Amino acid sequence: MTVEEEPGFPVGNPDERELLISWLRFLRGAVVRKLDGISDAQARWRPDGKLISLLGIVNHLTHVEWRWINGGIRGEEVSRSEEEFEPGRGLTVEDAIAAYRRRGAETDAVVRASPSLMVPCHREKGADLRWVLLHLINETARHAGHADAVRELLDGVTGE
């Protein structure tokens, strides 16, 4: 998906499932746009060694969706590693974005194939797929703002 193909600002939708997916897709696009036009070295930059790099944000969000969908909804064994915040030198911007887009497409497919938004979550007591989607929207929104700050500190670029 190119930037031009990314969804615009979500509009109202009586289908709650599609409304939640549209918000998550919009926020994923906001994160990916922060990597537009920067090198792999720039994508690894952290202001004064603080915050998470843009590459780390995308890599982390890819893993977050995997943990909550594969682990939380599908019940698969998943793990968490601090290394996802500082990916190794082998991960490029192009590869990270491709992985994030694949993960997003898989998340969207699982949500659409689910018989209900009330499918229970295996990771969080009392949570269901609706809760997981809202959690992913929240996590992605927080890191989209984080990515805004890192990009502005990196080279002054602001905006969507």
Side-chain angles (χ1 to χ4, degrees), residues 34 45 47 51 54 144-154 157:
K34 291 300 157 185
W45 178 81
L51 300 175
L54 293 169
H146 177 172
D148 285 341
V150 172
R151 182 65 191 258
E152 185 173 357
L153 291 169
L154 171 68
V157 170

Side-chain angles (χ1 to χ4, degrees), residues 6-157:
E6 289 178 5
F9 192 80
V11 295
N13 189 331
D15 182 334
E16 182 182 14
R17 182 186 318 244
E18 289 303 320
L19 179 63
L20 295 172
I21 288 171
S22 70
W23 273 103
L24 186 53
R25 291 184 71 216
F26 172 74
L27 291 167
R28 287 182 197 127
V31 171
V32 167
R33 282 190 297 276
K34 291 300 157 185
L35 287 111
D36 189 39
I38 64 172
S39 68
D40 290 341
Q42 289 173 309
R44 292 179 185 288
W45 178 81
R46 296 171 55 208
D48 296 326
K50 295 175 173 62
L51 300 175
I52 305 170
S53 70
L54 293 169
L55 193 60
I57 291 169
V58 171
N59 193 53
H60 168 62
L61 288 172
T62 302
H63 285 85
V64 166
E65 286 197 34
W66 168 72
R67 275 192 296 279
W68 281 104
I69 296 300
N70 289 51
I73 299 304
R74 291 181 167 167
E76 298 172 7
E77 188 169 329
V78 295
S79 60
R80 184 175 187 277
S81 169
E82 291 299 312
E83 292 174 6
E84 71 190 50
F85 297 101
E86 292 188 54
R89 292 280 172 211
L91 184 64
T92 64
V93 169
E94 183 179 340
D95 291 343
I97 290 172
Y100 190 40
R101 287 183 170 145
R102 281 191 306 274
R103 177 66 255 174
E106 186 172 343
T107 295
D108 296 352
V110 168
V111 172
R112 286 184 174 120
S114 178
S116 167
L117 288 176
M118 293 187 297
V119 168
C121 176
H122 299 277
R123 290 188 66 201
E124 185 73 27
K125 185 176 176 151
D128 56 19
L129 179 56
R130 176 184 290 108
W131 185 95
V132 168
L133 281 170
L134 289 168
H135 175 69
L136 293 175
I137 290 166
N138 176 62
E139 182 84 4
T140 307
R142 290 179 68 225
H143 284 299
H146 177 172
D148 285 341
V150 172
R151 182 65 191 258
E152 185 173 357
L153 291 169
L154 171 68
D155 62 6
V157 170

